[in-house]
Amino acid sequence: MDAVSLNEAWVNLLSLAPEIGQAGLETLIMLSIGLFSALVLGGPLGILLYLSQPGQMFANRTLCGVLGWFVNLVRSFPFIILLVTLGPLTRVLIGSTIGPVAASVSLSFAAIPYFARLVEQSLREIPRGVIEAAEAMGASPLRIIVSVLLNEARSGLISALTILTISFLSYSSVAGVVGGGGIGDLAIRYGYYRFQTEVMVAMVLLLVVIVQVIQFAGNRLAARLDKR
Amino acid sequence: MIHLNQVEKRFQHPDGGWFSAVQPTSLSIRAGEIFGLIGFSGAGKSTLLRLINLLERPDAGAVLVDGQDLTALTSRQLRDARQNIGMVFQQFNLMANRTVAENIAFPLEVAGWSKHDIRVRVAECLDVVHLSDRAEHYPAQLSGGQKQRVGIARALASRPKVILADEPTSALDPRTTQSILDCLSEINQRFGVTVVIVTHEMGVIRSICHRAALLDKGEVVEIMDIANGQVDARSALAVSLLEAA
Ligand SMILES: Nc1ncnc2c1ncn2[C@@H]1O[C@H](COP(=O)(O)OP(=O)(O)OP(=O)(O)O)[C@@H](O)[C@H]1O
Ligand SMILES: [Mg+2]
């Protein structure tokens, strides 16, 4: 690129600043709703998945089998297929299939079982004896879940959330292409369809920075919480 | 204090067959004594101990602790009853993300004590096990012996009448072992707590127990009296264990 076209690229990017800001906001909306659903629904699902396993507090072969099967089923769908097939459901729930909120439905759908598995894996790290000690002291199931399971696994849970956030940043750009908007969508629309390479490069760089920041923050927090 | 009445515990093998880890067994443990459970690996010592606080539910028989039949309780009542029975583990089983003081506070939180009472009681228990200077440490920063003393302080915190200890010294070196045994012995004398201790070492029995049951293949072979470090044993198995020690 010579000086003139480099200058043009900057001017173009600056003129797109409102769109870029809007795209960032849309990505933030998709990510927030997806992660919120994952925490609120996927978290308890993961706890239940763990506790229903043989030898655990609510050991139940049927429940464990059904939950595991459901989680695997949803997780085996390629995200793009989930996105398309959930269109009708999204229309019922949101009234539209366009926009970041609509895209959040399928994002949430994928994030819930994903996070549930990550939570289950983190909880498995806790030695059985520690849970048993709490049982021997007469702790209630709720107290064991909150004070023992979640507290002992807290650093692993933060790492799980970090992984989830980064994966879903990338999922959200796929969702954006099907009408959700966001940073990935902007990169495709301007950078790919309109041959404005500088927009594509800028958006990818932006994503690179965001991922690095999330991972760094996640690592720091996980390390600080880990007293093992 | 503890009466096991024809308790039995069976486990299912992976191949579907059943076997009795504890054969129908009756045992009475007096208030204020240190009672040992000794036997070879797989004899059923841990299972028998865990029947006392119903960590294992017996397939038959009754478990009476402090006059209460634990097998007849609802799960809520059982949780209350368990606050009266402390437990100490071979692998300590402390919560890694809680400080020493917070670990000892846990059973008191469970029992619904006030923050102020918890602070006072935790300090007392730390003093009993000589760990007052480690209150704000995390378990990972402690030696094995120190961890076990935290385990004992935790078991003691809610002023239980009974403390169950499953091989509390098996992960420790001989000198540390003695300090832990002394600690349990002191708690027994000072607070009148009944202690049931599982071990595979005659040395432990000799050192602190008043009486001990010898287990083999899920059955009590003999109940031995211990006086002045002398074990009064008759069965061939007990005699051979004594000679080996
Ligand atoms: N949850 C379980 N499921 C199946 N079998 C078990 C279970 N717990 C214990 N057993 C079996 O019951 C028998 C007695 O076990 P227990 O742990 O009570 O022995 P122990 O005397 O404490 O031995 P050790 O000195 O090795 O700890 C063993 O054969 C063991 O394999
Ligand atoms: Mg054992």
Side-chain angles (χ1 to χ4, degrees), chain B residues 99-102 126 132-138 141:
Chain B
T99 62
V100 165
E102 289 168 344
L126 279 167
S132 302
D133 54 333
R134 297 298 159 106
E136 299 312 317
H137 284 56
Y138 286 92
Q141 300 167 307

Side-chain angles (χ1 to χ4, degrees), chain B residues 45-47 90 166-167 198:
Chain B
K45 308 180 293 290
S46 298
T47 308
Q90 179 177 358
D166 193 350
E167 307 212 27
V198 165

Side-chain angles (χ1 to χ4, degrees), chain B residues 10-13 19-22 39-48 50 56 90 166-167 198-200 215:
Chain B
R10 297 184 300 159
F11 289 114
Q12 193 162 22
H13 282 302
F19 100 107
S20 292
V22 173
F40 290 114
S41 187
K45 308 180 293 290
S46 298
T47 308
L48 192 61
R50 293 157 57 84
E56 304 285 359
Q90 179 177 358
D166 193 350
E167 307 212 27
V198 165
T199 181
H200 56 262
L215 267 72

Side-chain angles (χ1 to χ4, degrees), chain A residues 129 132 135 143 151-152 227, chain B residues 50 82 93 95-97:
Chain A
E132 206 169 80
E135 285 174 353
R143 187 180 293 275
N151 191 47
E152 287 297 285
K227 307 293 181 187
Chain B
R50 293 157 57 84
R82 278 176 171 169
N93 293 346
M95 286 180 263
N97 283 337

Side-chain angles (χ1 to χ4, degrees), chain A residues 129-130 132-141 143 147-148 151-152 154 225-228, chain B residues 50 53 55 79 82-83 85 87 89 93-98 106-107 109-110 138 140 154:
Chain A
V130 174
E132 206 169 80
E135 285 174 353
M137 287 181 252
S140 65
R143 187 180 293 275
S147 302
V148 183
N151 191 47
E152 287 297 285
R154 62 193 189 186
L225 289 177
D226 192 1
K227 307 293 181 187
R228 284 173 293 177
Chain B
R50 293 157 57 84
N53 62 357
L55 276 184
R79 291 205 293 270
R82 278 176 171 169
Q83 290 166 18
I85 310 174
M87 196 164 196
F89 303 84
N93 293 346
L94 302 175
M95 286 180 263
N97 283 337
R98 278 183 170 236
F106 186 73
E109 292 167 13
V110 169
Y138 286 92
R154 178 175 71 173

Side-chain angles (χ1 to χ4, degrees), chain B residues 43-65:
Chain B
K45 308 180 293 290
S46 298
T47 308
L48 192 61
L49 187 80
R50 293 157 57 84
L51 283 170
I52 298 174
N53 62 357
L54 246 58
L55 276 184
E56 304 285 359
R57 191 167 273 278
D59 297 305
V63 176
L64 280 92
V65 178

